[in-house]
Amino acid sequence: MKNQDLFAYREAVLKIKDAILQARYRVSANANAEMLNLYYGVGQYISENTRMGKWGTGVMEKISEQLQGEIPGLHGFSPSNMKNMRIFFEQWSSEFEANRQLPTADLESDNNADELLVIRQLPTAELDENKISAFVRVGFTHHREILRKCKTADERWYYILRCADEFWSVARLKHHILANDYASFGSLPNNFAITIPDNETAAIAVRSFRDEYLLDFVDIKEADDYSERDVENAIVADVKKFVMSAGEGFAFIGNQHRLLVDEEEFFVDMLFFNRNLHCLVAFELKKDKFRPSDLGQLSFYLSALDKYVKKPDENNTIGILLCQEMNRTVVELAVQDYDKPMGVATYRLGTEIPEQYKALIPLIDGVQKIVLENGNAENGTE
């Protein structure tokens, strides 16, 4: 076979493969949208009949049992999941009420029923297309978890958009909800607006870091007698969990990264690369409360990394100082005097979990076990 033929063959394979993958994605996305339509409609039907007193107790159990007999092998219509469908409808109906609708078939009752019952279509309100697209791409199990743990519409949309854009598994979603991403991400004190020239990149940088990192996997027995290196070693020993806590797009390069400046050695605590920002990210650990002088050391490391490590096509290095405590007013004032992009965040160890998290310790352990078992199988599927 000639080289020209080989090239044409390879090109054909790539085009057909791309077409197949796109078709599979569309089929999967459409199937998920139809399933959500169905569950929303069934949820509405159940809500109208149970909340108005038309059905007595135990009816959903009987309906589920009969459905299993009518459709052998049917999944997803257990009594508990039908109650989840009712919650799905009731929680979203006010947000979606009386506006635009996605097309789906009506579901009618048996002809012998007293009245014709129609499960209406899933309304999608006057929401922007990005939200609509994300909503129908996220699996029902994800939606169920979000509704259980998130109280406001803004918080729910935050996790729906992240799940859809970053293909989170249910286990990863639970981890991010537990870490309170919604409140933490994008709120750390920083100087990105004045040190990153491109506004879009600066906005991505703000969204890429949180103001507190829950290092629940770092469980140092002597809570008061440990060093910064102890925390660092614990993170490196389970760096996958730190990457999950850090957010999307981080790749670990190494710890105690050696910098040689005019034959003098310096060491960066932890060095990462962020694919979304296309830059190195240096994390410096401090055990105590934030001090403005800490930023001088971090700024020096960023200068050295930009000069000796950064590649020509990469953006300038970002620095994040992790400390146990900080006064936000002091931090915000201090970072403005530096021309290197940096921010300051706090961290909490497994032995320092705040009161609001203590009741969730069994869930933390369960999520970590699931994540560990899933390995590299993290994707958007259930």
Side-chain angles (χ1 to χ4, degrees):
M1 187 177 290
K2 297 179 180 180
N3 288 339
Q4 186 176 0
D5 293 334
L6 285 172
F7 177 79
Y9 165 77
R10 182 58 183 162
E11 184 180 21
V13 169
L14 290 174
K15 286 184 177 180
I16 294 172
K17 176 185 175 182
D18 184 59
I20 291 171
L21 293 176
Q22 288 189 35
R24 284 181 177 177
Y25 174 80
R26 288 194 299 270
V27 169
S28 176
N30 290 337
N32 191 67
E34 288 300 322
M35 183 191 71
L36 291 179
N37 271 299
L38 173 64
Y39 284 2
Y40 185 94
V42 171
Q44 179 178 11
Y45 179 57
I46 293 172
S47 177
E48 290 174 350
N49 283 277
T50 55
R51 302 305 188 196
M52 300 299 292
K54 294 181 182 180
W55 292 351
T57 58
V59 170
M60 276 192 275
E61 286 75 8
K62 294 177 182 177
I63 291 174
S64 175
E65 184 180 349
Q66 188 163 343
L67 280 172
Q68 300 299 326
E70 295 283 342
I71 310 175
L74 178 67
H75 296 287
F77 282 84
S78 65
S80 61
N81 210 39
M82 287 197 290
K83 291 176 184 177
N84 289 328
M85 295 175 201
R86 179 174 63 186
I87 294 171
F88 183 56
F89 163 73
E90 291 175 349
Q91 293 293 319
W92 283 110
S93 58
S94 58
E95 177 105 356
F96 290 150
E97 63 184 2
N99 287 303
R100 208 150 52 84
Q101 296 178 332
L102 292 175
T104 185
D106 291 339
L107 176 64
E108 298 180 355
S109 67
D110 186 276
N111 292 331
N112 295 325
D114 293 333
E115 60 181 343
L116 185 66
L117 301 173
V118 178
I119 293 181
R120 286 175 281 180
Q121 301 163 334
L122 168 61
T124 57
E126 292 302 327
L127 301 170
D128 64 73
E129 291 184 6
N130 186 41
K131 281 188 173 181
I132 295 171
S133 175
F135 187 92
V136 298
R137 295 203 316 271
V138 172
F140 185 68
T141 306
H142 293 74
H143 278 291
R144 184 181 65 192
E145 193 66 27
I146 290 169
L147 289 174
R148 283 177 177 173
K149 304 291 173 57
C150 304
K151 303 304 180 185
T152 67
D154 286 345
E155 186 178 5
R156 292 169 186 166
W157 281 118
Y158 170 84
Y159 288 109
I160 287 171
L161 291 168
R162 294 288 300 275
C163 284
D165 292 343
E166 300 171 24
F167 305 101
W168 284 357
S169 65
V170 175
R172 190 163 188 181
L173 168 65
K174 288 180 178 180
H175 180 93
H176 284 290
I177 291 177
L178 182 61
N180 199 18
D181 278 10
Y182 172 71
S184 298
F185 267 108
S187 58
L188 88 163
N190 64 84
N191 63 359
F192 299 153
I194 60 176
T195 57
I196 300 178
D198 181 69
N199 290 336
E200 184 176 350
T201 303
I204 294 173
V206 169
R207 296 193 300 268
S208 296
F209 304 99
R210 59 176 59 169
D211 69 344
E212 180 174 88
Y213 290 80
L214 177 62
L215 307 181
D216 52 275
F217 57 92
V218 178
D219 190 7
I220 297 173
K221 300 305 180 185
E222 299 295 332
D224 297 324
D225 185 20
Y226 67 89
S227 67
E228 295 160 4
R229 187 63 63 84
D230 291 330
V231 179
E232 177 190 324
N233 290 338
I235 291 173
V236 173
D238 211 338
V239 71
K240 177 180 176 181
K241 291 179 182 176
F242 181 77
V243 169
M244 283 184 60
S245 298
E248 183 68 17
F250 282 90
F252 181 59
I253 294 177
N255 68 306
Q256 292 302 302
H257 188 86
R258 180 174 176 266
L259 294 172
L260 190 62
V261 180
D262 196 20
E263 299 185 359
E264 189 172 349
E265 289 183 323
F266 300 91
F267 297 90
V268 179
D269 284 346
M270 295 185 295
L271 188 62
F272 291 78
F273 187 83
N274 187 283
R275 295 175 62 195
N276 298 332
L277 294 165
H278 198 60
C279 73
L280 296 166
V281 178
F283 282 89
E284 277 296 298
L285 281 163
K286 297 296 178 183
K287 180 183 175 182
D288 301 317
K289 186 175 181 178
F290 168 80
R291 296 171 299 179
S293 58
D294 295 332
L295 294 178
Q297 179 189 32
L298 180 58
S299 178
F300 171 76
Y301 286 164
L302 298 182
S303 295
L305 286 165
D306 284 342
K307 183 172 183 178
Y308 298 110
V309 181
K310 180 179 79 72
K311 294 182 179 180
D313 63 330
E314 293 174 355
N315 294 320
N316 287 340
T317 308
I318 291 175
I320 302 296
L321 185 71
L322 290 176
C323 53
Q324 281 197 307
E325 298 179 54
M326 69 171 168
N327 181 314
R328 293 186 67 94
T329 303
V330 172
V331 173
E332 289 168 357
L333 187 63
V335 296
Q336 302 308 312
D337 289 333
Y338 289 88
D339 60 0
K340 296 294 182 183
M342 60 179 69
V344 179
T346 57
Y347 64 88
R348 294 289 178 268
L349 307 180
T351 49
E352 302 174 308
I353 297 176
E355 288 296 328
Q356 62 265 35
Y357 290 134
K358 288 183 178 178
L360 300 175
I361 288 176
L363 175 60
I364 295 174
D365 295 337
V367 171
Q368 291 181 347
K369 181 179 178 181
I370 292 170
V371 171
L372 189 61
E373 291 173 350
N374 281 352
N376 294 324
E378 292 172 354
N379 52 49
T381 60
E382 298 174 29

